[in-house]
Amino acid sequence: KDKFDMKRLKKGIALILFFFFSVTLLLGGCEEQVVKRQYFAFDTIINLTFYGADDSVFAECYRLCTEYEHKFSRTDTESEIYRVNLSGGGDVSDETAELISLGLEYGKLSGGLFDITIGAVSELWDLKSEPPVIPDEDELEKAVLSVDYRNVSLEGKRIELKNGAKLDLGGIAKGYVADRLKELALSMGVERGIIDLGGNIALIGAKSESSGWTVGIKEPFSTSGELAGYVEVSDMSVVTSGIYERAAESGGRLWHHLINPNTGMPEDNEFASVTIISESSAECDALSTICYLMGEDGMTFAEEQGVEAVFITRDGSVLHTGGIGSSIPFTEN
């Protein structure tokens, strides 16, 4: 009996001490508490991971996502872009005008390889349906005639679309939203965190005082989530465009969403994915598409733009710009 009581006493003391230290650690480091939330918007899963954030931060982030989706979506019948496409122009909000202006800049920078007037082509494709919808050549030829970023006239918040042009901001919208979410989180006191918009990663601060965030680069076509490698970065954005995303097989061919605006067809080159690392998620978003469409010239273009890039070929070879592995730690699997 005495032996049993002593065990119980020791167990009770241990539980009290455990509880005391647990509370001390929680209270002493409450600003370091990791809080995660998951939402669905922009046709993708959004994962937010913030250190020391309360519910109000996440509520504002979700509100912002909802607001932007109702402005930028090509398919939402209540959105500004849907209305503009339907009527050929009109007044838009400051944010929509800003995003359109940014898209036009990348159109000019890329010589039209990045083109936000690809909407007439986009609506002909549906790779999610079963079977996937693949447009015929006549449809594409007609739709491609309207694709030219110079068909957009933007004066302040007033936009005009010419020659049947239709907008599709999908190639840059998620990056733009990630940047705005980061600004919002910082303004509300978040000093460390991860914003993940379906693979568009925007990082706030560093993981710790001694290390950055580890961001994996997926092995193209892997069905088990294998990584081709990973980078370590702080307060940057990492965005990948790949032919294994939003893709479908039909007629013995792989069809993917990285469309060449000059042909209306998925670009067919040696690369399977391009990852861009930069301070701006919108820049990463646009340049990852541009560099993929450029093929082997994309590496030089990325270096000219002052960003770092990782290219993975269809046969699994990994190529990268000079700063990868030096200024940006990189481990290849």
Side-chain angles (χ1 to χ4, degrees):
K1 185 176 184 296
D2 292 339
K3 187 176 181 180
F4 172 79
D5 289 343
M6 184 59 68
K7 283 184 177 181
R8 187 166 59 181
L9 177 62
K10 289 180 178 179
K11 184 177 180 181
I13 293 173
L15 287 172
I16 292 171
L17 289 173
F18 174 78
F19 175 75
F20 172 78
F21 284 117
S22 295
V23 171
T24 302
L25 288 170
L26 179 61
L27 295 177
C30 62
E31 71 279 8
E32 297 299 324
Q33 185 179 8
V34 182
V35 185
K36 300 181 180 182
R37 294 287 188 276
Q38 187 176 89
Y39 308 107
F40 187 83
F42 307 104
D43 199 29
T44 193
I45 296 175
I46 296 174
N47 288 290
L48 304 179
T49 303
F50 296 148
Y51 285 63
D54 58 31
D55 287 340
S56 65
V57 179
F58 293 99
E60 280 300 294
C61 285
Y62 180 67
R63 180 198 61 77
L64 199 62
C65 286
T66 303
E67 176 185 331
Y68 284 156
E69 184 167 31
H70 289 322
K71 289 178 178 179
F72 305 152
S73 172
R74 175 178 61 85
T75 57
D76 182 350
T77 58
E78 301 297 322
S79 78
E80 293 183 2
I81 295 302
Y82 186 92
R83 173 172 50 80
V84 165
N85 283 341
L86 188 65
S87 61
D91 293 325
V92 295
S93 63
D94 290 331
E95 294 85 357
T96 301
E98 181 181 30
L99 183 54
I100 291 172
S101 178
L102 190 59
L104 294 176
E105 289 179 18
Y106 283 110
K108 184 176 181 180
L109 179 67
S110 65
L113 270 183
F114 184 89
D115 202 313
I116 60 172
T117 64
I118 201 168
V121 171
S122 300
E123 65 186 19
L124 296 179
W125 292 86
D126 188 353
L127 300 178
K128 292 183 177 180
S129 67
E130 187 58 46
V133 176
I134 312 297
D136 62 40
E137 293 183 8
D138 291 339
E139 287 180 308
L140 280 179
E141 286 181 5
K142 182 179 179 181
V144 165
L145 293 176
S146 68
V147 180
D148 189 335
Y149 67 96
R150 291 167 296 189
N151 284 331
V152 180
S153 173
L154 181 65
E155 296 291 338
K157 296 190 290 184
R158 182 74 179 179
I159 184 172
E160 180 185 355
L161 302 179
K162 296 174 286 186
N163 301 320
K166 291 185 178 181
L167 298 177
D168 182 346
L169 303 178
I172 195 172
K174 286 198 296 183
Y176 176 90
V177 173
D179 287 334
R180 300 293 80 77
L181 289 175
K182 181 174 179 177
E183 290 176 358
L184 174 62
L186 286 169
S187 72
M188 297 185 72
V190 176
E191 297 181 354
R192 294 193 295 150
I194 304 171
I195 297 167
D196 180 354
L197 274 68
N200 285 53
I201 309 294
L203 304 166
I204 301 174
K207 185 176 183 180
S208 68
E209 293 182 0
S210 59
S211 66
W213 303 98
T214 298
V215 180
I217 299 175
K218 187 176 179 180
E219 180 74 42
F221 306 111
S222 170
T223 57
S224 57
E226 295 171 339
L227 298 178
Y230 52 90
V231 294
E232 183 180 318
V233 292
S234 300
D235 210 33
M236 302 282 279
S237 286
V238 182
V239 177
T240 299
S241 289
I243 62 175
Y244 54 88
E245 304 168 321
R246 286 182 280 167
E249 290 189 8
S250 179
R253 175 175 175 176
L254 177 70
W255 307 90
H256 58 81
H257 76 291
L258 295 176
I259 304 292
N260 187 322
N262 296 316
T263 64
M265 294 283 289
E267 181 64 20
D268 188 13
N269 60 37
E270 64 181 302
F271 295 106
S273 71
V274 175
T275 299
I276 301 293
I277 303 169
S278 163
E279 292 183 358
S280 164
S281 193
E283 180 179 45
C284 290
D285 212 357
L287 292 185
S288 63
T289 299
I290 294 169
C291 289
Y292 174 81
L293 294 176
M294 285 187 169
E296 60 183 17
D297 293 330
M299 187 79 69
T300 301
F301 184 78
E303 292 176 333
E304 290 174 349
Q305 302 310 310
V307 302
E308 302 299 338
V310 177
F311 289 67
I312 302 179
T313 64
R314 292 184 184 232
D315 64 8
S317 299
V318 178
L319 311 172
H320 55 75
T321 52
I324 300 293
S326 54
S327 60
I328 296 178
F330 174 65
T331 301
E332 183 177 347
N333 287 345

